[in-house]
Amino acid sequence: MSEFVMPSLGADMESAILMEWHVKEGDKVSKGDVIAEVETSKGVIEIEVFEDGIVEKLLVEEETECKVGTPLAIIASDANESVEVKVEEKVEVEPPKEVIQQEELEPKKEVKLEPQEEPVVKVQSRELKISPAARKRAEELGIDISTITPIDGVIQLAQLEALNPQEVKVVVKEEKPQEKKKSETKDTKEGMRQAIAAAMSKSNAEIPHYYLSTSINMTPALEYLEELNKQRSIKERILPIAMLIRAVALALQEVPELNGFWHEEELHISKAIHPGIAIALRKGGLITPALLNADIMNLNDTMDSLSNLITRTRAGKLRSSELMAQTITITNLGDLGVDSVFGVIYPPQVAVIGFGIIKDAPWAEGDALCVRKVMQATLAGDHRATDGRVGAKFLDKLNNVLQNPKELL
């Protein structure tokens, strides 16, 4: 028997609201099953159970805010205990015989209710379904929730946090003094920004960073990718970022010291490689969910899984394991024209890889000077866990993989 607790879905998370149970007492669960949904400042997250067993008891009611580590349910590993519980429930539910007879004798003719207001009320309540955190936030900001279109039938905190200032002005109910409106619109942007700031402050305060950078000739890899994509439809094409993620996974297999966690003054290297991919949300904010088991994917799998992860991240449909399991972070700002990215490590991870824009640049090959597609790759490492030599080995391996792109398949 063990306790299923509110998980920490990031170094910045202190509590979350248990929105909905997907199981009931007596249900059998397997490792990886989604058993509940919680709402955080990053959106609604599905949380999974990490063992096989039977749900012995649900300890927390839906729509309750819980701190990280709060026991939410008891999971029993002994199936027999729960089977007994089920049998007792069945016995209690059986109604007395006389009642059954009465019900059978009674004709059902009188049951004719035809008021027309019921359906209307139901529709209204469905439209206005809102999570407790979102309701509280809407009240703080004076937002008229009836003017907001729910996503999947529910207005969530992340949806309110993501409103842009113009939307907020439209939905504000009461006329308030101009100065107040300004501070309210400012608040709408602060939720996720505060969470990111808290995590980065913690990182800067605790982690002694070191930084390395190298220029990589991307021409061989891009030419190889072009050949691969020639036989594919637009939807099936592989993007350069998938190739870079695959290259990072291969390089980490050779230099595993950067793939893990700093915990209790010790480096814990992870066997599995779960890179957290920095994904920008459409209305602001950034999330780095894990691309789970990237080390066992080929290039096609990496592209498919990345597309799926981006879609679910922007739809607010992530799983808890994707927010807890990152073993390293990859951030790519090349599409915004940035040359180099010097990232801040997300604790307890020990490294961040950054990719800049791929652009034409002079490149020396032998005695000749030519133009090649060149990209800056950077590494931020935790000096408590590794040193510059380890980081340099990693960047060298990354470069080698990209010069021999057949290794990526």
Side-chain angles (χ1 to χ4, degrees):
M1 190 178 293
S2 65
E3 286 180 341
F4 176 76
V5 302
M6 175 65 81
S8 171
L9 304 175
D12 53 306
M13 176 177 152
E14 293 181 357
S15 65
I17 294 172
L18 174 70
M19 293 297 297
E20 184 180 357
W21 282 112
H22 287 198
V23 293
K24 57 185 184 305
E25 292 176 3
D27 280 358
K28 190 173 181 181
V29 292
S30 301
K31 183 180 176 183
D33 285 353
V34 173
I35 67 169
E37 285 184 8
V38 300
E39 184 174 25
T40 72
S41 60
K42 295 171 183 170
V44 175
I45 311 294
E46 296 177 333
I47 54 175
E48 304 136 288
V49 68
F50 296 101
E51 60 183 322
D52 298 338
I54 305 284
V55 180
E56 181 72 20
K57 192 162 183 59
L58 301 180
L59 303 173
V60 174
E61 290 184 4
E62 293 177 349
E63 302 192 350
T64 303
E65 183 164 4
C66 306
K67 289 190 171 176
V68 169
T70 302
L72 302 178
I74 302 292
I75 307 293
S77 52
D78 181 359
N80 295 331
E81 289 177 28
S82 295
V83 171
E84 282 170 23
V85 174
K86 276 187 177 174
V87 172
E88 279 172 22
E89 280 174 2
K90 276 185 182 174
V91 174
E92 279 173 18
V93 169
E94 262 183 59
K97 281 180 187 175
E98 302 131 34
V99 176
I100 294 173
Q101 281 169 355
Q102 260 188 345
E103 283 180 357
E104 282 172 355
L105 288 172
E106 271 183 276
K108 297 177 182 174
K109 46 188 176 181
E110 315 151 290
V111 193
K112 274 190 178 180
L113 296 174
E114 30 182 298
Q116 294 175 352
E117 297 137 37
E118 274 278 337
V120 179
V121 173
K122 275 188 179 176
V123 171
Q124 282 181 345
S125 65
R126 183 180 295 177
E127 285 173 355
L128 293 178
K129 197 169 175 188
I130 182 169
S131 74
R135 183 181 297 283
K136 189 179 166 197
R137 192 68 171 154
E139 285 170 2
E140 285 170 3
L141 301 177
I143 293 173
D144 181 358
I145 56 171
S146 67
T147 61
I148 299 177
T149 306
I151 296 174
D152 293 334
V154 185
I155 300 171
Q156 296 166 353
L157 177 61
Q159 188 184 351
L160 292 185
E161 301 281 15
L163 286 174
N164 69 39
Q166 284 173 346
E167 284 172 290
V168 175
K169 277 181 188 168
V170 172
V171 296
V172 170
K173 251 201 242 173
E174 301 164 15
E175 310 124 33
K176 295 189 178 174
Q178 292 257 318
E179 317 109 58
K180 266 220 158 175
K181 277 187 183 175
K182 276 181 191 169
S183 65
E184 284 164 359
T185 51
K186 196 178 166 190
D187 285 347
T188 57
K189 292 180 174 177
E190 282 182 355
M192 186 170 291
R193 184 56 48 203
Q194 282 174 351
I196 293 170
M200 296 303 97
S201 298
K202 183 179 166 71
S203 172
N204 275 322
E206 295 179 0
I207 300 176
H209 288 65
Y210 68 86
Y211 291 96
L212 300 173
S213 172
T214 191
S215 301
I216 296 181
N217 175 10
M218 290 293 293
T219 302
L222 291 177
E223 286 177 352
Y224 185 70
L225 197 59
E226 194 179 343
E227 281 302 311
L228 280 181
N229 284 335
K230 270 184 185 170
Q231 293 132 34
R232 297 167 187 256
S233 66
I234 292 175
K235 274 188 175 179
E236 292 170 332
R237 282 181 192 167
I238 295 170
L239 300 177
I241 183 60
M243 189 175 61
L244 293 173
I245 293 169
R246 176 73 181 135
V248 167
L250 290 171
L252 287 174
Q253 288 174 347
E254 296 289 321
V255 189
E257 296 93 328
L258 297 172
N259 183 59
F261 310 99
W262 184 256
H263 181 59
E264 294 183 343
E265 301 302 312
E266 203 174 327
L267 171 63
H268 298 262
I269 295 174
S270 170
K271 283 184 185 169
I273 298 174
H274 307 311
I277 311 298
I279 298 174
L281 303 181
R282 288 201 177 91
K283 292 196 172 180
L286 190 75
I287 295 185
T288 55
L291 191 68
L292 298 173
N293 300 307
D295 49 319
I296 58 173
M297 294 179 191
N298 59 29
L299 191 53
N300 286 329
D301 295 340
T302 304
M303 186 65 236
D304 292 344
S305 299
L306 179 65
S307 300
N308 179 274
L309 188 67
I310 292 172
T311 303
R312 287 188 297 108
T313 299
R314 290 179 174 159
K317 292 289 179 188
L318 290 172
R319 289 185 162 203
S320 55
S321 56
E322 291 164 331
L323 289 173
M324 295 167 65
Q326 300 94 328
T327 54
I328 191 169
T329 297
I330 297 175
T331 180
N332 172 32
L333 293 178
D335 56 336
L336 297 177
V338 169
D339 281 330
S340 304
V341 184
F342 297 94
V344 181
I345 299 169
Y346 197 80
Q349 297 163 43
V350 295
V352 181
I353 315 296
F355 294 119
I357 187 173
I358 301 172
K359 62 181 184 183
D360 290 340
W363 189 262
E365 280 184 0
D367 294 335
L369 190 62
C370 49
V371 174
R372 292 288 181 262
K373 299 286 183 191
V374 178
M375 177 192 71
Q376 289 294 317
T378 56
L379 165 74
D382 183 341
H383 238 315
R384 298 170 302 177
T386 61
D387 53 29
R389 184 174 175 76
V390 173
K393 274 173 66 182
F394 168 80
L395 288 178
D396 183 52
K397 179 61 190 173
L398 181 70
N399 180 41
N400 286 339
V401 172
L402 291 168
Q403 302 315 305
N404 301 284
K406 284 186 181 172
E407 286 187 35
L408 296 166
L409 291 178

